[in-house]
Structure formats: structure tokens, C-alpha cells
Amino acid sequence: MKQTEFIAYVTQLIGEFGYLLPEMTLIVGSLVVILFDLIYKGQQGQIVKTALTLMVLVLAACAVATITVDGSFLNGVLAQSALIRNLKWFFILMTALVLLFPNSKIQSSKGEYHYLILMVLLGAMFLIQVQNLLLFYVSLELVSITSYVLIAFSFHRKGFEAGIKYLLFGAMSSGLLLYGLSLMYGLTGSLDIQQLSELVMLDYDTTWLNMALLLFFVGVFFKLALIPFHIWSPDAYEAGPTAAVAYISVLPKVAILVFFYHFTSAISNLEPNIIDWRYMISALAVGSMFVGNLSALWQNNAKRMLAYSSIAHSGTLLIGVIVGTSFGFQALIFYSVVYGFMNLAAFYFVDWMEENGIETISGLAGLGVKIPTMGVMITVVLISLVGLPPTGGFTAKLLLFSSLWDTYLATDQSYLLWLFVLGILNSAISLFYYLRIPYYLFLKSRNEDSPVSVTATRVTWMAVVVALVLVTFFASDVLFAMLF
């Protein structure tokens, strides 16, 4: 390369760093939050740092709006599109709502908490636009390591134990994933996702390529908490801070699924030279739905119930990846956005339970009559999680299963029909444990007269999230148009 060409190449790369303005805003803002932690302490520090973090999120959202050019940049390592920008705004909105959890005062008083939240957001924003497997691994580890620390931010023994368990399983899965990536690089000579299928030489034994893909899939399945890689999930959900758990149960999962869809779309060109991954993922999806829903039936702890529920929803979200069509991908994104609002509202209710010292679902007996506003709103959220009208959960599942049915009609693959039937069956199973909470709230009498209160601020924020759940049903076409 001539000197002039090299200078032009470097100049182009430097100019393309402007595409990373939202990410650079988060990096600089997180460092400023850490510096403010040295100055402000106590309750004043909590308010200042939360306000500062929200300001950083506003600046990041404005930075996203300034990027209007689509396509790949930084030598094809990252990509930009309208959908990616919309997902970034969704991630920023979810982060802002999580920072406003009222019962996270202990965590919010620590400057590292806001920093870690912003780092999870940064990693998730990279995951949805990455086009290189090495950068994918770095982004995934950024999300994972900060998640391990956030789980231990409850500052009690169970939280530390759950954080260590999460870390150990995560380290094992990361090692397997990295080994799979190294094998793929050795076989293809490239880490670029779009070039992966083009660079594979077809005159060698594909056993090693299958092994590389399996190891890579194992790492991804752990992050999604699919069976049998879900062991860490219930303990982490139960012991971690509620706000942090609500956060890491949505953002990393959505970001990884977006990447996984693009990756599986790229390797589909390798067929029939590799294993039929759709059969494998379909089996994991069905297994995750059954294990998650059946295990949730026996839970009396609300956070453990939501943990198993999250496993089942991961299996449901995989349908969008299995379908592999543009309609399936759109349904996956729509479901992810609605699920984010639903899950946030459910954990917001759990946060209220913990504030009043209620540890179990049975401890909610009679509170729906005593505090009807909270009872009605959580009932709406749980109905949406089941997938019943008139909530966004119904629209999301309708779109996802419609894309699956269309693909079955087009391909006549029997496993897609089984996936469709068993997926609908699992939605019916989830009805039994989700509606246990309204059952105790309204139909059970309260044996004790312990004081239970709810503030106007909490009712307001709960109403905002519930309104988002309802809007995604009554104005689903608007949300669909905004996303795509």
C-alpha cells in the first residue's frame, strides 16, 4: 500500500469513528459518574449520580439521532441501520426506567452501580451492530462481566454465592465459545460474519467446522439461559438486586438474539455441509419452554418464578431465529420490545413486594382488595406475559407464531409444526403460574395485618410501564412502524 493510500485509509477510519458517538458518550459519561462518586456521598450522592446518569442517557439518545447513514463502517467490523438505531433507543429507555426503581437505594448509593449499568448498555449496543466475531466476544464479555458484578451488588451472602456461581458457569461457557471462535478462524481464515460462508473450503472434513459451531452455540445458549445451561439463572435472579436482575434479564438477551439471528442467517449458506442447527435449536426451544414453565409452577418465590419464566420466554424468542425469514425477525424484535416492558413491570412489582417485606407469592394474599391499583396493574402485566388480549403480549405471540406457521406452510417441515403446537401448549401452561398472583391478591383472605403501603410515585411509574404494555396492543401498528 502506498503512503498516500495508507493516509487516506487511516483518515477514513478516523472519520468513521463519528458513527460511535453514542458509544463514546456512554464511555465518557460513565467515567464522569465515577468521578462524581468521589465528591458526593449518601442520599445526596444517590440523587446526583442518578440524575447525571439519566443526563448521559439523554445525550446518548441524541447522539443516536445524529447518525443517519446506513451501512458498514470501520472496515466492515460494525454496521448501522434504522433498526439498530431504534433498538439503541429502546435500550436507552429500558436503562432509564431501571435507574428509577425506588427500592434500589443501597445499589444507587454506590457510583460503581451506575457505571456498571452503563457498561451493560454499552456492550448491548455493540452486540446488535457487530459484524466481526472477535468484537462480538469482547462485547459479550463486557456485558457478562458487568452482569456478574451486578448480581453480587445485593451485598449479602446469597448474592455473593449467586454471583460466584454465575461467574464460574459464565467463565466455562466463555472458554468454550472462544475455543469455537478460534476453530472457526483456523478453518475459514476470517472472523467476518458476512465472509464466513464464502471462505470455508468445502474439500475438507466438516467435522471440525461442526465442532466449532457447537462450541460457539454452547456459549450463546448459556447467555440466553437455555436448557441445560440455565442452572445459574434461578439463584442469580433470586439473590441479585431486583433492578439489576430486571435489567440483565432483557437487554443482554435481546442483543444476543439479534446477533444470533444474523449469524445463523450467514451460516445457512453452508448447508448441507454442516449439521442442521435448526433441529437442534428447535429441540432446545421446546425443552426450555417446558422446563421453564413446569418449574415455574412449583415456585412460591416471585423472583425464582420469573427466572424460570424467563427461560421459557428465551425458548419462545428462539422461534424467530429458527424461522429465519424477515417476517420472523420482525416478530422477534417486536416480541423482544414488548417482553422488555412486561418483564420490567413484573420486576417493578417484585420491587414493591420487597419494600414491604413480602418474600413469597402466598404473602400477597388479600392485598389486591387492600391496594387495588397495584393488584389490577400487575394482573394486566401477567395476562400480557401469558399472551392474552388485550395486551401487547398477545400481539407479540400472534406475530411470532404466525411467522412460524407461514414458514411451515412454505417448507412443509414437520418439526416446525411440532414447534408450533408445543409452543401454543406452553403458553397455556404458563397461564397457571402467572395467574397465581392475581388469585392470591383477590381471592385469598389475609391472615395477618402487617402494614403494607404504596407511594404515589410507585403507582405512577408502574402505571407508565403498564400503559406501554397496553399501547403495544391497541397501537401495535404504530410500534411496528416505529421499529421497521
Side-chain angles (χ1 to χ4, degrees), residues 176-466:
L176 294 174
L177 186 146
L178 189 59
Y179 188 43
L181 292 184
S182 65
L183 283 176
M184 274 190 271
Y185 179 73
L187 294 169
T188 65
S190 175
L191 290 172
D192 190 288
I193 297 173
Q194 301 303 323
Q195 297 178 4
L196 185 62
S197 60
E198 301 172 4
L199 297 175
V200 173
M201 303 299 293
L202 301 180
D203 58 349
Y204 65 84
D205 186 0
T206 56
T207 303
W208 284 106
L209 182 57
N210 289 328
M211 178 64 70
L213 290 174
L214 283 174
L215 291 172
F216 179 81
F217 285 164
V218 165
V220 173
F221 295 156
F222 171 84
K223 306 303 180 183
L224 295 175
L226 298 171
I227 63 153
F229 315 104
H230 68 289
I231 304 173
W232 61 271
S233 182
D235 290 339
Y237 276 54
E238 180 183 9
T242 303
V245 170
Y247 192 55
I248 65 176
S249 67
V250 176
L251 249 69
K253 184 177 297 184
V254 174
I256 293 169
L257 281 168
V258 170
F259 166 83
F260 195 46
Y261 172 84
H262 292 306
F263 179 81
T264 52
S265 297
I267 66 171
S268 61
N269 295 328
L270 297 176
E271 299 172 356
N273 302 293
I274 60 172
I275 55 174
D276 196 335
W277 54 268
R278 287 187 177 86
Y279 284 104
M280 177 182 64
I281 297 181
S282 297
L284 285 177
V286 171
S288 298
M289 284 188 275
F290 271 109
V291 170
N293 286 323
L294 293 177
S295 299
L297 287 172
W298 304 98
Q299 305 304 316
N300 194 31
N301 182 284
K303 290 174 78 174
R304 290 187 73 88
M305 185 202 77
L306 289 174
Y308 285 110
S309 162
S310 179
I311 295 169
H313 279 284
S314 294
T316 306
L317 284 164
L318 270 182
I319 293 175
V321 177
I322 296 166
V323 169
T325 62
S326 59
F327 181 28
F329 182 58
Q330 291 173 342
L332 167 64
I333 298 300
F334 188 93
Y335 193 109
S336 299
V337 172
V338 175
Y339 175 68
F341 295 142
M342 294 187 298
N343 217 40
L344 188 66
F347 277 104
Y348 205 82
F349 181 79
V350 172
D351 188 65
W352 171 75
M353 290 174 58
E354 292 180 342
E355 187 178 47
N356 287 277
I358 304 171
E359 298 181 355
T360 61
I361 296 174
S362 57
L364 293 170
L367 290 182
V369 177
K370 188 174 182 179
I371 310 177
T373 51
M374 292 296 288
V376 170
M377 286 190 290
I378 190 57
T379 301
V380 172
V381 172
L382 294 171
I383 289 174
S384 185
L385 283 167
V386 175
L388 298 176
T391 61
F394 171 77
T395 308
K397 286 196 174 182
L398 178 63
L399 289 173
L400 199 62
F401 283 106
S402 295
S403 68
L404 178 59
W405 182 253
D406 288 348
T407 304
Y408 165 69
L409 293 178
T411 61
D412 198 27
Q413 295 287 337
S414 59
Y415 75 93
L416 295 177
L417 179 60
W418 280 105
L419 181 60
F420 181 87
V421 173
L422 295 177
I424 297 294
L425 175 62
N426 271 275
S427 295
I429 294 174
S430 67
L431 181 70
F432 291 93
Y433 64 82
Y434 278 132
L435 294 189
R436 280 184 66 211
I437 292 180
Y439 170 73
Y440 275 97
L441 282 170
F442 294 104
L443 301 180
K444 284 283 188 177
S445 59
R446 192 162 184 82
N447 297 325
E448 56 186 41
D449 195 23
S450 55
V452 178
S453 61
V454 59
T455 63
T457 303
R458 183 175 287 278
V459 171
T460 301
W461 282 112
M462 184 74 176
V464 169
V465 184
V466 172

Side-chain angles (χ1 to χ4, degrees), residues 1-12:
M1 182 181 294
K2 297 180 181 180
Q3 183 178 2
T4 54
E5 293 177 349
F6 177 75
I7 293 174
Y9 177 73
V10 173
T11 304
Q12 180 184 357

